[in-house]
Amino acid sequence: MRIGVPTERTQGESRVALAPHAVYELTRAGHRVFVEAGAGEASSIADDSYEEAGARLVEEAGRVYADSEIVVKVYGPVEEEYEYLREDLVLISFLSLPVNPELMQALIDSRCVAFAMETIRDERGLLPVLTPMSEIAGLLTPQIGAHYLQRPFGGRGILLGGSTGVRPGRVVILGAGIVGAGAARVASGLGAEVVIVDKDLDHLRQIENARLPNTTTLAASSLGIRDAVLRSDLLIGAVHVVGARTPALVDRETVSQMKEGSVIVDVDVDYGGCVATSRPTTLADPTFVEYGVTHYCVKNVPASVPVTATRALSNALLPYLRRLAGVGLSDALGADEGLARGVVVAEGRVVDSVLACATGVEYNQLSSVLPLHSEAR
């Protein structure tokens, strides 16, 4: 099968979907991989490395799309790439369609088959492709917050670890999933006082069982969240609802009453964010100040460490690409329900029920759009 890897064109995106080791495994299995020249440059991957792995370098994105049956990207196509989408193409990418109606319409109009990597499930119901990116984002957020709490960068002048005789900074984390757990681990390691909030008591028990120093858990409630946020120096939004817009758990009034010079890092801002004042920013211009509070709302936080993130993403993607390329789309989807749940748009129709509900469009079952069983073909 022919697999294409174009250069990312989303502003500030420095990752590439496949690293050379993944390309090597695919070409060794007999597949052809087309990589746009320069695609790995921001991840410190030279074109020569791709060629040595068996890839064919292509100078233009249009040719990558035209020559490929499967195109794999980190982020969904930008407007200039819409014209390359077509009916017999399989696209695999992080899509964030609930907050990107223009891209969703382009995918529908093109009649391609689009996988949202953030909704692919494994046999345990977990999110195997999104998870490594969430891990990286979680580990980074306390470092980011600690940076912007420093006075020269607009912060209150708080050291998260405190000092002898001086209380540490207080970090409040909304969400105890992969991002939140990673953030709690790092913030605790820095010596901060950590409060992690979630409505899922099993997630909170996992945090408790980890016995992180200076870390307490709090069952989510409107009043509890408000009180915790107002007492925070650093607020980390780590809430994610699979395939749907993130609920705003912190309203504008609460943000307006936070301590001046405090910091908000909202991770899932590409799905709307869990703080009402959040809006997407870029790595080139990552922050803005509202009500005296510094907001860091970069939607692709792992792109700040592309060498690590590219390899982690490649590791997660490779088994699914092998399956799709090895047996074909219909057989792969028919045999793997979790992979099938990653398909959000196919042949001009929305086939993900959560996306359909979130965007108000008609929902179609995947099996009614694509033949998933041999007897139906």
Side-chain angles (χ1 to χ4, degrees), residues 128-330:
V129 183
L130 180 62
T131 292
M133 299 300 97
S134 297
E135 288 174 341
I136 291 170
L139 297 175
L140 279 171
T141 49
Q143 300 179 49
I144 294 167
H147 173 80
Y148 286 104
L149 278 171
Q150 295 178 62
R151 189 69 178 176
F153 303 102
R156 297 185 64 225
I158 295 286
L159 179 64
L160 284 183
S163 184
T164 302
V166 181
R167 78 161 183 87
R170 184 175 290 116
V171 178
V172 172
I173 303 168
L174 302 181
I178 300 296
V179 174
R185 191 164 75 248
V186 172
S188 173
L190 291 173
E193 177 186 324
V194 181
V195 178
I196 186 163
V197 186
D198 202 300
K199 66 179 182 180
D200 190 324
L201 297 183
D202 287 334
H203 283 169
L204 295 181
R205 286 190 184 97
Q206 291 173 17
I207 299 294
E208 293 279 1
N209 290 338
R211 300 188 180 279
L212 300 175
N214 305 318
T215 300
T216 57
T217 61
L218 178 66
S221 68
S222 297
L223 288 177
I225 290 172
R226 175 181 171 80
D227 179 65
V229 168
L230 293 180
R231 297 172 62 224
S232 69
D233 298 304
L234 168 60
L235 172 63
I236 296 174
V239 178
H240 177 69
V241 179
V242 180
R245 180 181 285 271
T246 306
L249 303 180
V250 181
D251 59 24
R252 283 184 166 272
E253 182 181 358
T254 301
V255 175
S256 71
Q257 296 176 26
M258 290 177 68
K259 304 169 189 174
E260 186 167 352
S262 54
V263 175
I264 295 173
V265 179
D266 202 347
V267 175
D268 203 41
V269 73
D270 55 339
Y271 270 84
C274 65
V275 180
T277 49
S278 294
R279 53 180 168 81
T281 60
T282 66
L283 287 170
D285 187 16
T287 64
F288 62 90
V289 177
E290 195 158 346
Y291 300 117
V293 177
T294 298
H295 293 60
Y296 181 99
C297 300
V298 174
K299 67 178 184 177
N300 55 340
V301 172
S304 62
V305 287
V307 173
T308 300
T310 286
R311 285 151 181 80
L313 181 59
S314 292
N315 293 340
L317 273 176
L318 182 58
Y320 294 99
L321 279 175
R322 278 174 164 164
R323 197 169 308 154
L324 280 170
V327 303
L329 178 66
S330 294

Side-chain angles (χ1 to χ4, degrees), residues 70-142:
I70 299 174
V71 166
V72 58
K73 299 179 83 275
V74 178
Y75 263 96
V78 298
E79 186 175 356
E80 67 187 82
E81 296 173 279
Y82 291 173
E83 63 181 297
Y84 305 143
L85 301 172
R86 64 178 193 276
E87 185 169 0
D88 59 344
L89 180 71
V90 175
L91 174 72
I92 306 174
S93 182
F94 290 120
L95 295 175
S96 306
L97 295 184
V99 294
N100 197 344
E102 294 83 6
L103 174 57
M104 186 172 78
Q105 191 58 53
L107 296 172
I108 291 171
D109 292 344
S110 73
R111 297 183 62 83
C112 73
V113 175
F115 285 80
M117 295 195 293
E118 65 268 31
T119 65
I120 293 173
R121 301 275 188 168
D122 62 17
E123 63 277 1
R124 297 170 295 170
L126 303 179
L127 305 168
V129 183
L130 180 62
T131 292
M133 299 300 97
S134 297
E135 288 174 341
I136 291 170
L139 297 175
L140 279 171
T141 49

